[in-house]
């Protein structure tokens, strides 16, 4: 699903922009995998590799990675660039 479709999903949507070569993104990988399991059925999670989705990253205004967005019923409620703990992400969803 593309970024514009993802952010319009009903309910809560967590989006991560990352790159496979980014050390900070690599550090977030197990945290995101844990959250995908923990939040399955509750929060829609979309992850976009900026190398494969360059246009989406540009439209979203992503300048550094990892970058996270939370949308609730299509409205942005959280935006953060840099690493976060699982607890910090959970507190936003």
């Amino acid at each position: 699903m593309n970024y514009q479709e993802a952010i319009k999903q009903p309910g809560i949507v967590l989006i991560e922009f990352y790159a496979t070569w980014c050390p900070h993104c690599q550090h977030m990988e197990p945290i995101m995998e844990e959250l995908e399991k923990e939040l399955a059925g509750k929060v829609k999670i979309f992850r976009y590799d900026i190398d494969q989705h360059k246009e989406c990253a540009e439209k979203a205004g992503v300048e550094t990675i990892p970058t996270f967005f939370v949308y609730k019923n299509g409205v942005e409620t959280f935006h953060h660039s840099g690493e976060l703990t699982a607890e910090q992400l959970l507190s936003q969803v």
Side-chain angles (χ1 to χ4, degrees), residues 12-55:
I12 301 170
V13 175
L14 170 61
I15 294 177
E16 176 192 20
F17 285 95
Y18 71 98
T20 56
W21 46 263
C22 165
H24 298 288
C25 301
Q26 292 167 0
H27 184 254
M28 290 301 302
E29 182 72 25
I31 294 169
M32 291 304 293
E33 287 175 0
E34 173 189 330
L35 289 178
E36 285 176 325
K37 290 176 190 169
E38 188 173 333
L39 298 174
K42 300 174 192 167
V43 175
K44 296 172 188 85
I45 298 176
F46 298 94
R47 302 178 71 208
Y48 296 99
D49 183 328
I50 64 163
D51 292 325
Q52 295 176 7
H53 300 276
K54 190 175 218 160
E55 209 172 287

Side-chain angles (χ1 to χ4, degrees), residues 3-4 7 15 17 50 53-69 71 76 79-82:
Y3 176 73
Q4 294 302 320
I7 65 175
I15 294 177
F17 285 95
I50 64 163
H53 300 276
K54 190 175 218 160
E55 209 172 287
C56 286
E58 289 172 2
K59 285 182 181 176
V62 174
E63 296 180 1
T64 60
I65 50 174
T67 293
F68 300 91
F69 292 92
Y71 289 86
E76 183 181 319
H79 175 195
H80 177 84
S81 294

